Amino acid sequence: MENRVKIILDARSVNEGFARVAAAAFAARLDPTVEELADIKTAVSEAVTNAIIHGYEGRYGRVAMEMTASGNLLTISVSDKGRGIADIKQAMCPLYTSKPHLERSGMGFTVMESFMDSLQVSSRVGEGTRVVMTKRIHG
């Protein structure tokens, strides 16, 4: 049976921790290992942080996190209605950052890809970005 939840967060860095805990609590019913849970929390942290920092650049906005559990498959979508990404391929390159002055490492998408089973990024300049991550829980 499928289970779904949607959470809307103000795009403020203080809400990143809440998003991590919410994702962990939602995934808990799938009985993940400690390592799987840590992977999920890390990937969510990166996705939400990217939406806040790059999507809104200090302006007011909201971040939506949708989670679905179906069987042992967890799907997490993080989206914003911020500035969008002009070149997704470039943005996904390891070490690329559009904010070097903020000492960003440019590893957000790489981290998401390495901790989750799949990562899809869609974006439109001026309309926002959506990141969809999946992870099969082996428990």
Side-chain angles (χ1 to χ4, degrees):
M1 185 164 131
E2 186 174 272
N3 188 30
R4 184 182 307 257
V5 68
K6 182 175 183 177
I7 299 169
I8 306 293
L9 308 160
D10 281 345
R12 299 179 56 196
S13 61
V14 296
N15 289 328
E16 177 270 329
F18 177 79
R20 286 172 55 95
V21 171
F26 184 81
R29 80 173 216 40
L30 301 176
D31 196 25
T33 64
V34 172
E35 182 179 333
E36 288 170 330
L37 207 50
D39 291 352
I40 292 162
K41 288 166 61 177
T42 301
V44 164
S45 179
E46 291 294 334
V48 170
T49 298
N50 274 0
I52 293 167
I53 291 174
H54 299 288
Y56 294 110
E57 299 184 312
R59 296 183 329 268
Y60 176 79
R62 294 216 167 139
V63 176
M65 183 168 74
E66 297 179 61
M67 298 176 284
T68 304
S70 182
N72 68 339
L73 184 66
L74 175 68
T75 303
I76 300 173
S77 167
V78 175
S79 58
D80 65 69
K81 295 192 182 301
R83 68 184 206 121
I85 302 170
D87 187 338
I88 294 172
K89 186 175 178 182
Q90 180 184 39
M92 293 182 74
C93 286
L95 304 178
Y96 172 78
T97 180
S98 62
K99 306 249 182 265
H101 59 285
L102 294 179
E103 298 184 21
R104 307 299 302 164
S105 69
M107 295 298 289
F109 286 127
T110 302
V111 168
M112 289 179 241
E113 277 184 313
S114 63
F115 286 116
M116 301 298 274
D117 294 330
S118 71
L119 171 69
Q120 296 174 329
V121 181
S122 57
S123 188
R124 288 185 182 224
V125 174
E127 295 181 23
T129 301
R130 183 172 188 235
V131 173
V132 179
M133 305 173 286
T134 62
K135 186 161 191 78
R136 193 158 304 281
I137 304 300
H138 301 290

